[in-house]
Amino acid sequence: MTGATVLVVEDEVRLARSIVLYLGQRGFRVRIAYNGQEALERIAEARPDVIVADIMMPVMDGYALCRRLRTDPATCTIPFLFLTAKADDRDRVRGLKMGADDYLAKPCDLGELRARVDVLIANVAMPQVHEK
């Protein structure tokens, strides 16, 4: 699944850079936004193939970002993964009910993050294969 664009929405600079480096070395094009509002600007510039977003961020949190994306016909189909320190089952359920496609608790293994990103991209590509 290399060549796919991943938008990482994370206010913790060191973690964001670690994800960018890890995924970038594996063939992904990775862009960073440090809050939900900045993410909306990045998405307007160029639609990503997958969004990996934290929940607790300044300006606009991940829940608000997910809600905005899911209510907009132009962005409602972009795969969305929450990567967050909020590991409580209630938070996980809230994120999934809000429309997130996956939910991963921090700290996480970057290999697992990559595997989940790969699955989300494959799931989007799957219907197109069957339509041909």
Side-chain angles (χ1 to χ4, degrees), residues 39-40 42-49 51 65-80 99 101:
L40 292 174
R42 299 277 175 281
I43 293 163
E45 294 164 4
R47 180 187 167 99
D49 295 305
I51 297 168
L65 173 63
C66 186
R67 195 175 310 113
R68 286 274 296 271
L69 295 173
R70 291 302 181 236
T71 57
D72 183 343
T75 59
C76 66
T77 60
I78 301 172
F80 192 102
D101 298 288

Side-chain angles (χ1 to χ4, degrees), residues 1 7 16-17 26 76 98 108 113 126 129:
M1 300 297 159
L7 176 62
R17 288 186 179 154
R26 282 145 187 87
C76 66
M98 193 163 284
C108 75
L113 174 62
M126 194 79 74
V129 170

Side-chain angles (χ1 to χ4, degrees), residues 28-127:
F28 291 92
R29 291 186 308 272
V30 189
R31 298 166 64 220
I32 301 177
Y34 295 103
N35 61 62
Q37 185 60 46
E38 199 176 308
L40 292 174
E41 293 166 13
R42 299 277 175 281
I43 293 163
E45 294 164 4
R47 180 187 167 99
D49 295 305
V50 177
I51 297 168
V52 176
D54 190 6
I55 290 176
M56 298 177 289
M57 296 179 290
V59 185
M60 178 190 288
D61 70 12
Y63 288 138
L65 173 63
C66 186
R67 195 175 310 113
R68 286 274 296 271
L69 295 173
R70 291 302 181 236
T71 57
D72 183 343
T75 59
C76 66
T77 60
I78 301 172
F80 192 102
L81 183 151
F82 274 124
L83 175 63
T84 180
K86 294 175 81 64
D88 183 281
D89 285 342
R90 287 181 313 220
D91 295 316
R92 185 182 313 268
V93 169
R94 179 179 177 196
L96 294 171
K97 280 186 173 180
M98 193 163 284
D101 298 288
D102 203 350
Y103 194 107
L104 191 55
K106 293 181 200 171
C108 75
D109 177 80
L110 291 176
E112 182 177 1
L113 174 62
R114 181 202 174 173
R116 290 177 184 240
V117 167
D118 283 341
V119 167
L120 290 173
I121 293 168
N123 287 346
V124 169
M126 194 79 74

